[in-house]
Amino acid sequence: MKKNNIGNGIVLREWPLKIGMIFFISISMVAVIGFEYYNKDIGKNVKAASEGCPSSEWIPVGDFCIMDDLLDDTDENWGESVYSCLDEKDARLCSVSEWVEACRLNEGGYISISDMETDGTDNYEWAGEIEDTDNQKAVIIGESGCGDIDSDDIKTGSQKRRCCINRERY
């Protein structure tokens, strides 16, 4: 059987094989680039978890670390909670935005944070913001999910707390 040549020297029978090889190489490149991109992010997260947070008891989220578990099982008023976090690696009560970001990542299964359920079985936690200075109310968050925000009396209220810390300090 005689080969049929096309004007530029490509043999007609070899053309499908060359197209197949180009397709295979292209798909392989996409797979390798995707794998490297995926693993690059995993590497960043693993490095950030080991270098960016005080210990394995802290979960890296964005540019901050949040405690994996509540500080302890006792409730405190807001001021006591502020000082408890300061005693813990000079941390602070988590801001509302930090807490919500961590909660949503936890809810989506991207990170795992103890005692941060979103099914209505959790308790409120203190947040770092004062809601009403005149009435001495601070923000509490999270009893029934990531967006469940309320307030409690700074002096007489008694809630659990979770601390946050900036990652660049470690």
Side-chain angles (χ1 to χ4, degrees):
M1 183 177 232
K2 194 172 184 181
K3 294 181 182 179
N4 294 326
N5 289 332
I6 299 177
N8 62 0
I10 297 174
V11 176
L12 194 55
R13 283 191 337 201
E14 293 175 4
W15 188 75
L17 179 62
K18 289 182 180 183
I19 293 295
M21 288 300 291
I22 291 170
F23 179 75
F24 176 75
I25 290 170
S26 299
I27 295 298
S28 298
M29 291 291 287
V30 168
V32 167
I33 290 167
F35 181 76
E36 288 175 356
Y37 179 77
Y38 180 75
N39 282 325
K40 176 185 71 159
D41 286 345
I42 288 174
K44 268 196 244 178
N45 292 340
V46 169
K47 183 178 180 184
S50 62
E51 295 177 6
C53 296
S55 70
S56 62
E57 297 170 356
W58 295 76
I59 306 296
V61 179
D63 61 349
F64 67 96
C65 303
I66 188 169
M67 291 183 119
D68 180 31
D69 206 347
L70 295 167
L71 188 53
D72 61 39
D73 203 28
T74 60
D75 291 353
E76 292 181 337
N77 70 34
W78 189 81
E80 291 168 333
S81 296
V82 168
Y83 283 112
S84 292
C85 284
L86 281 172
D87 288 342
E88 191 70 29
K89 307 278 186 196
D90 289 331
R92 64 184 182 285
L93 288 173
C94 298
S95 70
V96 170
S97 62
E98 289 171 333
W99 199 96
V100 168
E101 181 179 358
C103 182
R104 288 188 175 147
L105 289 171
N106 184 58
E107 184 178 49
Y110 299 105
I111 59 176
S112 178
I113 300 175
S114 302
D115 295 321
M116 192 183 270
E117 291 82 22
T118 58
D119 59 3
T121 61
D122 211 359
N123 296 317
Y124 278 117
E125 298 177 25
W126 287 115
E129 284 89 354
I130 302 292
E131 182 183 76
D132 183 354
T133 55
D134 293 337
N135 294 315
Q136 298 184 349
K137 300 272 186 185
V139 176
I140 54 176
I141 191 165
E143 182 179 57
S144 296
C146 299
D148 186 7
I149 299 172
D150 205 343
S151 64
D152 199 359
D153 189 271
I154 291 172
K155 293 180 182 175
T156 61
S158 188
Q159 305 293 335
K160 306 248 183 274
R161 69 253 174 244
R162 188 180 311 266
C163 305
C164 286
I165 194 166
N166 294 344
R167 283 175 64 182
E168 65 266 11
R169 292 176 43 189
Y170 289 92

